[in-house]
Amino acid sequence: MSTTGETGSPDGSGEREYLLGTSSEELRRLGFQHQVWAENTAAAWRHAGFRPGQRLLDAGCGPGFASFDLARLVGDEGEVVAVDLSQRFLTHLEAEAKQREIGNIVCSLQDVENLDLPSCSFDGAFARWLLCFTARPEAVVSGVARALRQGGRFVVIDYVRYDGFTIAPSSEAFRRVIRTTGKSFRMRGGSGDIGQDLPRLLTSSGFVVERINPIVRVGRPGTALWKWPESFFASFLHTLVDLALITESDSREFTEEWEVRSADPAAFFITPPMVEIIAARQ
């Protein structure tokens, strides 16, 4: 996920970071999230033809959970350059790489909206839930385009309509929190609907869009997918209250209704509609 934007860190470091922060709790949540979505992510890499020996860019790498998978994919003959604006996340990535004795990941502290990378130096690039948090997604896309070799592929996974996140039985408390979560993205210059604009942005930067694939999943109580939004809102409800987007009463109502649905075998949710896009640099 992205680490663009600027806000105080929950741990008091004050470093620039993305909307959800860089706390230890958030780091653990991102690790769980990666596991929940690893299959969809790996499928997108296969569709793009990512393979051993390539040099790949992980844009907005966060603490590097996808970077490690990409490093295994490209092997010792390949390389992954992991770019993020959070020093805390990159420090975690570097420490993990050292502990695992992984030597083909290079960390680069920089803003994804102002990428400073050698031109035509990458075989592929990846960004997941990055552009929805960026104020200038067109700048990210153009920066990636400059860094890719001709024929290099850019894999993007992002939201098409975040407000489409749906739970059943229906809940006004849930809808209220989803609406305000989307609003919190927009307050920082991002958009939970960015997937709708991506084909245009990619084409404008010299890409040919080769694949547009919808990603929608159904979560049932007791599954790992069900825990995905649960782990997110366990911390983000506090952020929404701090931003004055919901009240403490709204937060309690959401938590209570979520607990009821978690115990209901007839309950389910539909994930926010996402899109997997693969585009080739011309």
Side-chain angles (χ1 to χ4, degrees):
M1 298 180 76
S2 168
T3 53
T4 57
E6 187 167 358
T7 184
S9 168
D11 64 3
S13 67
E15 74 165 4
R16 293 180 68 194
E17 59 178 36
Y18 82 116
L19 180 63
L20 306 180
T22 59
S23 66
S24 297
E25 179 183 0
E26 175 61 9
L27 193 150
R28 288 190 294 271
R29 188 195 70 81
L30 289 173
F32 172 70
Q33 174 176 261
H34 176 69
Q35 290 300 312
V36 170
W37 291 96
E39 184 175 344
N40 295 88
T41 302
W45 296 342
R46 287 195 301 272
H47 296 149
F50 287 1
R51 59 186 182 275
Q54 289 187 323
R55 188 168 192 253
L56 302 177
L57 170 65
D58 186 2
C61 63
F65 297 108
S67 300
F68 288 119
D69 287 352
L70 287 170
R72 284 189 291 270
L73 176 59
V74 301
D76 292 339
E77 300 301 314
E79 183 179 71
V80 174
V81 176
V83 173
D84 206 278
L85 194 57
S86 168
Q87 183 60 63
R88 176 167 183 164
F89 277 164
L90 292 182
T91 298
H92 173 270
L93 197 167
E94 290 173 331
E96 283 291 308
K98 182 177 181 180
Q99 181 177 354
R100 301 184 195 185
E101 298 183 342
I102 296 174
N104 63 341
I105 299 178
V106 176
C107 292
S108 180
L109 179 68
Q110 55 178 296
D111 188 340
V112 292
E113 294 183 12
N114 297 283
L115 286 172
D116 183 14
L117 298 166
S119 298
C120 305
S121 60
F122 290 88
D123 301 298
F126 172 62
R128 180 179 61 183
W129 299 311
L130 166 67
L131 299 175
C132 62
F133 290 110
T134 58
R136 296 188 301 128
E138 69 282 357
V140 181
V141 172
S142 63
V144 171
R146 288 191 300 272
L148 285 177
R149 300 185 177 101
Q150 185 176 12
R153 284 171 172 79
F154 188 14
V155 175
V156 182
I157 295 176
D158 221 318
Y159 296 117
V160 171
R161 185 170 174 267
Y162 188 84
D163 289 359
F165 200 165
T166 304
I167 195 167
S170 181
S171 163
E172 177 54 36
F174 185 87
R175 288 194 295 271
R176 183 184 306 117
V177 167
I178 294 303
R179 286 195 302 268
T180 54
T181 298
K183 184 176 180 179
S184 73
F185 292 179
R186 295 189 293 274
M187 287 172 62
R188 297 292 301 278
S191 170
D193 301 335
I194 187 62
Q196 299 176 35
D197 298 327
L198 285 177
R200 176 183 56 82
L201 295 178
L202 289 159
T203 301
S204 297
S205 289
F207 286 96
V208 171
V209 176
E210 297 181 329
R211 174 181 170 87
I212 302 176
N213 181 56
I215 302 176
V216 178
R217 295 172 62 185
V218 174
R220 301 288 303 279
T223 65
L225 184 58
W226 185 267
K227 288 288 184 180
W228 175 55
E230 182 177 299
S231 64
F232 171 75
F233 285 113
S235 60
F236 198 64
L237 286 174
H238 302 296
T239 299
L240 292 176
V241 171
D242 290 343
L243 291 172
L245 293 176
I246 63 172
T247 65
E248 289 284 1
S249 177
D250 293 330
S251 177
R252 286 193 300 270
E253 185 178 0
F254 175 93
T255 300
E256 291 168 0
E257 293 203 18
W258 183 267
E259 290 175 354
V260 169
R261 281 155 184 76
S262 295
D264 182 356
F268 69 92
F269 67 70
I270 298 173
T271 58
M274 305 177 207
V275 67
E276 166 210 320
I277 296 181
I278 299 174
R281 182 71 173 99
Q282 296 303 292

